């Protein structure tokens, strides 16, 4: 329905299933839950085939399809790293305490670029960790984070092109072309 011959007609890059929203999104969520529960079908057109909404059996897929159908365009930067072990990038950063942004070696973005939505790549934001299934591992990482934070040795949580930024404003000031939100 959305991609033919490698060309996609979507309004955002694929979003991972860790949605957040404000009350403004409740009508959107209600619409797509209703469509799923009522077994509705999205109509076909000259450009796209029909789509039975109950055939979308994963929440991540439903939220992406709903966003594309409604031509949504706002998307978070990746704020949940794929595994708690990713926090070792933050913990092992050798940085200059007195500079902002705090950089090590400048390099490529941690999340690869694409030609449509993130031509400069996307930032990786150390707010949460996905797949935190080993409590002892998570506890150890949290202990290390707390120690570094207490010693003021922890860089900002936003990582992009070898630099850590303290907040979304400093990141956007340095990289206004990056389209994801923080």
């Amino acid at each position: 329905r959305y991609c033919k011959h490698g060309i996609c007609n979507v309004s955002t890059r694929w979003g991972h299933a860790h949605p957040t929203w404000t009350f403004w999104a409740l009508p959107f969520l209600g619409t797509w839950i209703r469509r799923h529960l009522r077994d509705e079908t999205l109509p076909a057109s000259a450009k796209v085939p029909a789509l039975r909404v109950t055939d979308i059996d994963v929440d991540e897929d439903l939220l992406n399809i709903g966003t594309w159908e409604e031509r949504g365009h706002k998307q978070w930067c990746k704020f949940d790293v794929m595994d708690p072990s990713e926090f070792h990038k933050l913990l092992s950063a050798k940085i200059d305490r007195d500079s902002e942004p705090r950089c090590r070696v400048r390099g490529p973005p941690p999340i690869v670029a694409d030609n449509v939505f993130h031509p400069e790549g996307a930032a990786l934001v150390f707010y949460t960790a996905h797949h935190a299934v080993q409590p002892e591992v998570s506890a150890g990482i949290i202990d290390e984070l707390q120690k570094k934070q207490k010693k003021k040795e922890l860089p900002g949580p936003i990582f992009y092109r070898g630099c850590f930024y303290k907040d979304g404003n400093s990141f956007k000031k340095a990289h206004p072309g990056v389209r994801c939100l923080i």
Side-chain angles (χ1 to χ4, degrees):
R1 182 169 175 97
Y2 302 99
C3 298
K4 289 183 181 167
H5 311 293
I7 299 171
C8 298
N9 182 22
V10 295
S11 57
T12 61
R13 191 175 188 175
W14 183 265
H16 202 264
H18 296 126
T20 60
W21 53 77
T22 67
F23 67 91
W24 295 104
L26 291 176
F28 167 83
L29 295 169
T31 295
W32 287 94
I33 291 170
R34 183 204 72 222
R35 286 179 172 162
H36 198 273
L37 293 174
R38 289 187 178 171
D39 193 15
E40 294 180 19
T41 299
L42 301 178
S45 73
K47 296 181 179 181
V48 296
L51 176 63
R52 184 176 175 200
V53 178
T54 55
D55 287 344
I56 307 166
D57 60 353
V58 179
D59 60 340
E60 180 176 311
D61 299 355
L62 182 65
L63 291 170
N64 279 289
I65 288 169
T67 300
W68 298 337
E69 284 290 322
E70 298 195 22
R71 306 308 294 166
H73 63 276
K74 292 183 179 179
Q75 189 168 35
W76 290 114
C77 294
K78 182 79 174 141
F79 68 86
D80 63 324
V81 296
M82 294 305 293
D83 188 89
S85 64
E86 294 263 347
F87 273 87
H88 291 294
K89 290 177 186 169
L90 185 68
L91 290 166
S92 65
K94 303 291 185 219
I95 52 167
D96 179 358
R97 279 187 180 189
D98 299 322
S99 69
E100 176 62 36
R102 295 178 174 185
C103 298
R104 49 183 199 189
V105 177
R106 294 202 183 259
I111 298 176
V112 297
D114 64 67
N115 292 332
V116 178
F117 300 111
H118 300 288
E120 297 179 40
L124 183 60
V125 185
F126 292 92
Y127 288 166
T128 65
H130 187 68
H131 193 67
V133 296
Q134 296 177 305
E136 64 283 353
V137 172
S138 295
I141 291 169
I142 291 168
D143 288 344
E144 287 182 63
L145 287 167
Q146 288 175 329
K147 288 176 192 171
K148 287 220 173 219
Q149 182 70 31
K150 193 178 251 184
K151 293 179 184 178
K152 300 192 184 313
E153 295 177 349
L154 202 58
I158 302 165
F159 181 65
Y160 184 72
R161 295 192 178 269
C163 296
F164 291 90
Y165 298 86
K166 66 180 177 179
D167 57 34
N169 289 336
S170 62
F171 170 70
K172 284 294 186 184
K173 184 177 178 183
H175 302 283
V178 176
R179 291 177 47 188
C180 60
L181 304 173
I182 297 179

